[in-house]
Amino acid sequence: MLTPEEWTAVRLSLQVAFWATIWSLPPAILIGWVLARFNFPGKGIFDGIVHLPLVLPKVVVGYLLLITLGNRGYIGQYLHEWFGISLIFSTAGATVAAAVVSFPLTVNAIRLAIGGIDQGIETAARTLGATKMDAFFTVTLPLMMPGVLSGCLISLASALGEFGATITFVSNVEGQTRTIPLAIYSATHMPDGDAMALRLTVVSVILALGALILAEMADRRIKIALGQI
């Protein structure tokens, strides 16, 4: 059985991962759409910037967040002074870190889903009187749902395992930012923390594997419902 401290880390991890995925979904759909459907000067650079969190050391991502959104950061200082918003040492800050790191995974899945849609179907909807917005919500969005759902679940799994950006940006505060990875890290520095680290490792593996399996199952079921299989 997990201790209260361990349950807190599990609950916090699920909370952070869930909201990181939810808040990053709308911009991920927009950017995935732009990258899949449009060509413009600097597209390669824009694409590289979007996917940069995948290849940068996560500590670097956390440091960039710190100097940008910290209380003395380029943007964070105004959030703090004008609106009283402080992301440092907070669950909200941990959510931001997880969202930034997992964001490219959602974008990539959505981009691939949109790229696989026959634009002739959208054109046919337009010829029948549908506006661009109508065609998007009635034709494009349902067809890209397998990619959206898969991207969300993979992003959720990634957010559950986020460590480097979180500890660099918002530190390791119990009940606020100490998610499962940070709790495991703390346990490994305790004289009697081996059992705690092992229990949380098992929970982490179960959660991540469960999210990946759900992503595969959901993708298949939606494709069957849409007649793509």
Side-chain angles (χ1 to χ4, degrees):
M1 295 294 293
L2 300 179
T3 66
E5 180 183 354
E6 293 162 7
W7 276 117
T8 298
V10 173
R11 176 192 57 78
L12 186 62
S13 291
L14 292 171
Q15 176 185 339
V16 166
F18 174 79
W19 287 113
T21 302
I22 294 299
W23 286 112
S24 64
L25 182 57
I29 292 176
L30 176 61
I31 292 176
W33 173 270
V34 169
L35 291 175
R37 289 294 172 85
F38 299 98
N39 291 312
F40 51 88
K43 179 179 178 180
I45 296 175
F46 179 69
D47 191 9
I49 292 173
V50 169
H51 290 86
L52 204 55
L54 284 179
V55 295
L56 279 177
K58 300 306 179 281
V59 172
V60 174
V61 175
Y63 178 70
L64 291 174
L65 288 173
L66 182 63
I67 63 176
T68 303
L69 298 175
N71 289 348
R72 297 183 180 180
Y74 300 118
I75 298 174
Q77 60 178 320
Y78 300 110
L79 293 176
H80 183 61
E81 292 174 6
W82 295 351
F83 306 105
I85 298 175
S86 178
L87 297 176
I88 300 298
F89 310 127
S90 70
T91 303
T95 302
V96 170
V100 169
V101 170
S102 60
F103 182 72
L105 296 172
T106 312
V107 171
N108 194 50
I110 293 172
R111 177 185 183 179
L112 292 174
I114 295 174
I117 297 174
D118 183 1
Q119 295 188 48
I121 301 176
E122 298 171 334
T123 303
R126 295 288 307 279
T127 60
L128 293 174
T131 64
K132 288 184 177 180
M133 192 66 69
D134 291 335
F136 176 80
F137 283 106
T138 60
V139 177
T140 309
L141 187 59
L143 290 175
M144 61 187 272
M145 278 307 296
V148 172
L149 191 53
S150 294
C152 285
L153 291 172
I154 293 172
S155 176
L156 183 73
S158 174
L160 284 170
E162 164 49 34
F163 174 79
T166 302
I167 198 170
T168 305
F169 179 40
V170 293
S171 191
N172 185 3
V173 182
E174 184 177 353
Q176 294 294 325
T177 68
R178 186 174 293 173
T179 55
I180 292 176
L182 274 69
I184 293 173
Y185 174 79
S186 299
T188 61
H189 289 73
M190 297 165 54
D192 55 348
D194 288 347
M196 176 181 177
L198 181 59
R199 287 192 297 269
L200 289 175
T201 297
V202 172
V203 172
S204 182
V205 170
I206 292 173
L207 289 175
L209 187 59
L212 293 175
I213 292 173
L214 282 175
E216 180 64 27
M217 292 174 59
D219 180 69
R220 182 172 179 81
R221 285 183 176 274
I222 292 177
K223 285 182 177 179
I224 291 173
L226 294 174
Q228 297 178 356
I229 296 181

